[in-house]
Amino acid sequence: MLQLFSPAKINLFLRVLGKRPDGYHEIASLFQAIDLGDQLTLTFSTKDTLTCSNPDLPCGDSNLITKALMLFRRQTGLNTPVAIHLEKNIPTQAGLGGGSSNAATTLWGLNALHDFPFSEQELQTWSASIGSDVPFFFSKGTAYCIGRGEKVRDLLPLSLPSFSLIKPSVGLATPAIFQALKLQECSTLDPDQLLHDFMIGKHRFINDLEIPALRLCHSLAQIKEKHPTAFMTGSGSTMVILSGDTKPLHRKQGWY
Ligand code: C5P
């Protein structure tokens, strides 16, 4: 039996650079894994099962854990049935990458159950077909992601102010936020410059998806009013509230 931590992420900045012919958007984003996370348990079994502590979460083919299992089978031909249980702590439709993290953790866990026949690099490459954010979860916890988000460059841990998260009860769907985005409303700041500045301690928490999200979700505007330095992570609806003092973020734990 394997018990694995499946961390959430926040986007310290997220720039949208343009729309691509395939319908995705070209982005450049600084991703950071955080201590909030789910717990995944994987065991070889007599038949495939997926259970979840949250009864509202669908455990069928649409669940990214199931997609990761099917992908692993297709790529490897390894078909031993597995029982997977998910203890869900990361809110959904929150911009925290919970489903993507679960998918990456499932791929990693299946490979571990079979005694690591494939490299993490291979798992990471396969994982991009599940979702744009999934490859990030094979990084060491701090990474610069470009393309549609699936091209991941590992970075050293950053020193960042401590923060807390506010998640309004309403969730936001990623496709809807990208659809509501107007490119002319995006920042014009160079993402490579933003990254360079972050590395020398100059933090500009910019998220181009925040304007469309604020348009669609009134509670986000209320949070912004109350906490002017708050910024949104991913496609929302979680807001990150900075609390001032600077201390290093933990690196991702519990994977290796
Ligand atoms: O890759 P993923 O399945 O997570 O993306 C969900 C949806 O979000 C896509 O179908 C697309 O509408 C939008 N998206 C986008 N540009 C990205 C990532 C996602 O337009 N870079």
Side-chain angles (χ1 to χ4, degrees), residues 12 18 24 28 30 35 42 108 142 183 196 236:
L12 296 170
Y24 282 91
L30 178 55
D35 286 349
L42 294 94
W108 193 92
T142 305
L183 285 171
H196 172 264

Side-chain angles (χ1 to χ4, degrees), residues 147-190:
R148 60 184 169 91
E150 90 287 14
K151 293 183 186 143
V152 178
R153 194 210 311 164
D154 258 302
L155 300 170
L156 291 172
L158 296 165
S159 271
L160 292 167
S162 57
F163 62 86
S164 46
L165 303 176
I166 298 188
K167 162 72 180 57
S169 53
V170 58
L172 291 174
T174 305
I177 299 303
F178 273 105
Q179 215 168 3
L181 174 83
K182 295 177 186 157
L183 285 171
Q184 66 274 20
E185 289 174 344
C186 291
S187 154
T188 52
L189 291 169
D190 175 1

Side-chain angles (χ1 to χ4, degrees), residues 23-27 130-133 147-149 174-175 178:
Y24 282 91
H25 290 78
E26 197 69 17
I27 67 161
I130 303 174
S132 307
D133 286 356
R148 60 184 169 91
T174 305
F178 273 105

Side-chain angles (χ1 to χ4, degrees), residues 9-237:
K9 59 83 179 162
I10 57 171
N11 299 83
L12 296 170
F13 68 79
L14 194 163
R15 285 278 291 104
V16 179
L17 307 175
K19 186 150 187 199
R20 311 181 347 171
D22 64 4
Y24 282 91
H25 290 78
E26 197 69 17
I27 67 161
S29 179
L30 178 55
F31 278 60
Q32 175 64 58
I34 61 173
D35 286 349
L36 172 69
D38 299 335
Q39 208 76 38
L40 264 184
T41 311
L42 294 94
T43 327
F44 280 136
S45 181
T46 49
K47 67 172 186 144
D48 285 335
T49 53
L50 173 59
T51 52
C52 180
S53 59
N54 177 353
D56 296 335
L57 208 78
C59 284
D61 291 351
S62 66
N63 193 301
L64 296 194
I65 292 175
T66 312
K67 290 193 178 173
L69 174 63
M70 295 309 151
L71 175 68
F72 187 80
R73 296 248 164 94
R74 273 200 310 280
Q75 293 288 347
T76 68
L78 297 167
N79 289 316
T80 313
V82 280
I84 303 177
H85 179 71
L86 172 63
E87 276 300 312
K88 195 77 195 155
N89 302 312
I90 307 172
T92 54
Q93 294 207 310
L96 294 168
S100 300
S101 174
N102 295 165
T105 306
T106 301
L107 286 176
W108 193 92
L110 291 168
N111 197 45
L113 280 179
H114 289 91
D115 240 350
F116 302 101
F118 299 94
S119 68
E120 281 190 28
Q121 174 71 60
E122 283 169 295
L123 302 178
Q124 186 180 42
T125 303
W126 302 343
S127 74
S129 69
I130 303 174
S132 307
D133 286 356
V134 185
F136 162 72
F137 290 97
F138 288 95
S139 77
K140 295 207 163 31
T142 305
Y144 186 46
C145 300
I146 59 169
R148 60 184 169 91
E150 90 287 14
K151 293 183 186 143
V152 178
R153 194 210 311 164
D154 258 302
L155 300 170
L156 291 172
L158 296 165
S159 271
L160 292 167
S162 57
F163 62 86
S164 46
L165 303 176
I166 298 188
K167 162 72 180 57
S169 53
V170 58
L172 291 174
T174 305
I177 299 303
F178 273 105
Q179 215 168 3
L181 174 83
K182 295 177 186 157
L183 285 171
Q184 66 274 20
E185 289 174 344
C186 291
S187 154
T188 52
L189 291 169
D190 175 1
D192 290 333
Q193 185 65 46
L194 284 174
L195 176 63
H196 172 264
D197 289 351
F198 253 95
M199 305 226 263
I200 57 167
K202 187 174 164 196
H203 305 139
R204 279 179 291 183
F205 302 95
I206 286 164
N207 184 346
D208 284 335
L209 297 177
E210 201 174 288
I211 292 175
L214 284 166
R215 249 196 314 268
L216 295 185
C217 179
H218 185 58
S219 14
L220 290 184
Q222 288 174 325
I223 294 170
K224 271 292 243 205
E225 243 170 60
K226 226 170 149 191
H227 304 274
T229 61
F231 63 95
M232 194 178 80
T233 174
S235 55
S237 59

